[in-house]
């Protein structure tokens, strides 16, 4: 991907899980990367483990602080922005809905408003979520033109972030930078230590030999390795750069139907990959806030128009998480391990494009 060499890229939320992976990938591709984010959200965290900050500039701040954000954008003069700063957990949104709404809605509006101040910008990609759809719990995948909605605060905030994206595109950016939103599903990968997320919970139970409590064993989710949607975002940004009108739109970037498996199946796959039994306790009788049982994306548009498709099976994705975690436990150089996985993935992309 020679396109990225020397490009000035701003990533909001770069200390998070997805933000760290895309930051280190862009460094590898030769981009000049600036990050704007709060301090890393967990301890341990991928940003520190893989020394992501060593190859980029970082400004710590809150996406809700408009003046600081605008000042940074005006001084850095980015050409491409990936907006990833968010409160990203469904259950946390029940505990603190105001933080979720202010970060995900006002924070997004702040980003677009600040972006109006610079002429250097060519591309803005807002990373939202598959939870932005009005979930009817049906078996079909949602397409980009389906109604937005969301019963829990997190999902509602992502639906609102989508509306803000469309509003700014229509009202202020019709002649300026190309603006898109990307909607991905459940991502997994090495270095995710978020609270209350299935794979990090599994890793913690292995590392500390503790019980893992499972709430919804029969919930089906489309799982994908974190590098899959990130590749989609990079591909989309490149297309937007050259043909902004054609590609400035909303995009589903999710795994194939065969990668949608139940929580219970994922646990079994993890046990096989790790080579020992997990200490599982089912806690599906408790008084838990509502979470969707079934959510699937139709990614035909990304396949047809971007040439993007999911490349890793759910088994391979889990193997990569296990390999990364073992390396971490053994005290290996995690920046090198992370870059190696990116290199493997780039080889898979090359092979795939040769076969097409």
């Amino acid at each position: 991907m020679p396109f990225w060499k020397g490009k000035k890229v701003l990533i909001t939320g770069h200390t998070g899980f997805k933000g760290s992976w895309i930051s280190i990938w862009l460094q590898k591709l030769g981009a000049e990367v600036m990050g704007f984010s709060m301090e890393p959200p967990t301890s341990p965290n991928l940003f520190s483990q893989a020394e992501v900050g060593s190859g980029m500039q970082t400004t710590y701040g809150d996406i809700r602080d408009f003046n600081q954000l605008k000042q940074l954008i005006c001084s850095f003069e980015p050409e491409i922005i990936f907006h990833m700063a968010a409160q990203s957990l469904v259950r946390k949104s029940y505990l603190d809905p105001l933080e979720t709404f202010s970060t995900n809605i006002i924070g997004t509006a702040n980003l677009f408003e600040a972006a109006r101040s610079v002429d250097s910008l060519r591309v803005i990609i807002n990373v939202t979520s598959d939870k932005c759809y009005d979930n009817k719990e049906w078996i079909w995948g949602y397409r980009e033109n389906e109604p937005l909605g969301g019963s829990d605060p997190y999902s509602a905030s992502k639906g609102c972030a989508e509306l803000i994206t469309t509003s700014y595109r229509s009202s202020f950016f019709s002649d300026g930078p190309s603006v898109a939103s990307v909607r991905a599903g459940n991502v997994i990968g090495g270095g995710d230590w978020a609270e209350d997320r299935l794979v990090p919970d599994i890793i913690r139970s292995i590392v500390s030999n503790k019980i893992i409590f499972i709430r919804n064993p029969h919930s089906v989710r489309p799982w994908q390795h974190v590098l899959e949607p990130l590749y989609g975002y990079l591909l989309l940004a490149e297309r937007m750069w050259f043909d902004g009108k054609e590609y400035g739109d909303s995009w589903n970037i999710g795994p194939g139907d065969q990668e949608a498996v139940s929580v219970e199946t994922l646990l079994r796959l993890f046990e096989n990959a790790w080579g020992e039994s997990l200490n599982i306790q089912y806690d599906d009788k408790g008084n838990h806030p509502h979470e969707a049982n079934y959510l699937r994306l139709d990614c035909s548009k990304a396949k047809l128009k971007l040439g993007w498709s999911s490349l890793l099976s759910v088994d391979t994705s889990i193997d990569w998480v296990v390999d990364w975690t073992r390396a971490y436990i053994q005290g290996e150089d995690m920046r090198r391990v992370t870059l190696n996985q990116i290199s493997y993935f780039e080889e898979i992309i090359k092979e795939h494009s040769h076969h097409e």
Side-chain angles (χ1 to χ4, degrees):
M1 290 186 273
F3 165 81
W4 290 97
K5 195 160 183 57
K7 293 287 185 297
K8 292 186 79 173
V9 185
L10 172 67
I11 300 164
T12 71
H14 71 295
T15 60
F17 170 58
K18 256 180 160 175
S20 293
W21 272 100
I22 199 169
S23 294
I24 200 168
W25 196 351
L26 283 165
Q27 292 167 34
K28 183 177 185 293
L29 294 171
E32 183 185 341
V33 192
M34 165 67 83
F36 179 81
S37 184
M38 310 265 261
E39 299 270 345
T42 59
S43 182
N45 63 83
L46 177 62
F47 186 75
S48 306
Q49 288 169 318
E51 296 171 9
V52 177
S54 66
M56 67 187 294
Q57 301 174 67
T58 289
T59 298
Y60 287 118
D62 191 321
I63 198 73
R64 293 171 291 188
D65 183 340
F66 175 73
N67 291 332
Q68 189 189 9
L69 181 63
K70 183 178 174 182
Q71 195 178 351
L72 172 73
I73 288 175
C74 290
S75 62
F76 181 61
E77 296 185 323
E79 296 166 302
I80 297 169
I81 294 178
F82 291 102
H83 176 46
M84 294 184 167
Q87 194 300 96
S88 61
L89 301 169
V90 173
R91 279 166 65 88
K92 191 176 174 190
S93 79
Y94 281 106
L95 297 172
D96 195 345
L98 277 184
E99 187 207 355
T100 303
F101 286 134
S102 59
T103 302
N104 296 357
I105 301 172
I106 302 304
T108 298
N110 281 346
L111 184 279
F112 281 121
E113 186 59 27
R116 292 175 61 196
S117 310
V118 284
D119 296 329
S120 55
L121 258 177
R122 294 276 296 270
V123 171
I124 308 173
I125 293 181
N126 182 18
V127 178
T128 66
S129 167
D130 61 355
K131 311 273 190 315
C132 69
Y133 291 107
D134 181 14
N135 189 355
K136 307 244 188 321
E137 300 272 351
W138 58 28
I139 57 169
W140 303 283
Y142 293 87
R143 292 170 302 180
E144 287 86 352
N145 57 358
E146 308 271 6
L148 301 172
S151 54
D152 61 88
Y154 171 75
S155 303
S157 75
K158 288 300 188 177
C160 290
E162 287 283 350
L163 293 173
I164 290 166
T165 306
T166 307
S167 166
Y168 266 88
R169 183 194 295 122
S170 307
S171 304
F172 305 111
F173 292 128
S174 52
D175 297 322
S178 179
V179 174
S181 64
V182 285
R183 304 158 179 178
N186 291 38
V187 294
I188 60 177
D192 186 2
W193 301 98
E195 273 183 56
D196 222 7
R197 228 184 243 161
L198 180 62
V199 170
D201 285 348
I202 294 171
I203 299 295
R204 271 189 290 271
S205 83
I206 289 168
V207 171
S208 59
N209 202 18
K210 286 188 179 150
I211 294 170
I212 173 169
F213 294 96
I214 299 298
R215 295 189 299 273
N216 303 306
H218 306 300
S219 288
V220 173
R221 294 278 188 274
W223 311 94
Q224 66 182 154
H225 192 276
V226 64
L227 290 173
E228 302 253 45
L230 297 184
Y231 171 50
Y233 305 168
L234 295 175
L235 203 54
L236 174 61
E238 195 172 329
R239 297 286 163 83
M240 289 166 72
W241 181 279
F242 293 112
D243 190 355
K245 285 276 185 282
E246 175 75 15
Y247 292 94
D249 202 354
S250 51
W251 300 83
N252 286 340
I253 304 206
D257 284 352
Q258 68 279 10
E259 313 317 332
V261 300
S262 71
V263 167
E264 200 162 34
T265 303
L266 193 86
L267 288 165
R268 298 290 158 254
L269 290 170
F270 228 99
E271 285 184 324
N272 292 341
W274 194 262
E276 55 188 81
S277 296
L278 298 171
N279 193 354
I280 300 167
Q281 192 167 319
Y282 292 104
D283 182 26
D284 46 3
K285 299 283 184 289
N287 182 20
H288 302 299
H290 172 76
E291 293 179 79
N293 283 311
Y294 203 84
L295 185 60
R296 172 177 283 179
L297 297 176
D298 180 333
C299 301
S300 310
K301 182 173 153 187
K303 285 175 184 150
L304 290 167
K305 291 188 72 175
L306 287 180
W308 175 89
S309 61
S310 195
L311 300 174
L312 302 179
S313 69
V314 69
D315 303 55
T316 303
S317 300
I318 289 167
D319 286 343
W320 286 29
V321 177
V322 165
D323 291 346
W324 194 99
T325 306
R326 280 199 199 285
Y328 165 66
I329 289 169
Q330 287 158 10
E332 292 184 31
D333 175 345
M334 295 318 295
R335 184 175 174 88
R336 188 179 55 77
V337 169
T338 305
L339 285 166
N340 283 348
Q341 289 201 335
I342 292 169
S343 296
Y344 293 143
F345 191 70
E346 288 174 335
E347 289 302 316
I348 292 167
I349 292 168
K350 268 190 211 143
E351 276 173 42
H352 178 72
S353 52
H354 288 165
H355 292 312
E356 294 224 308

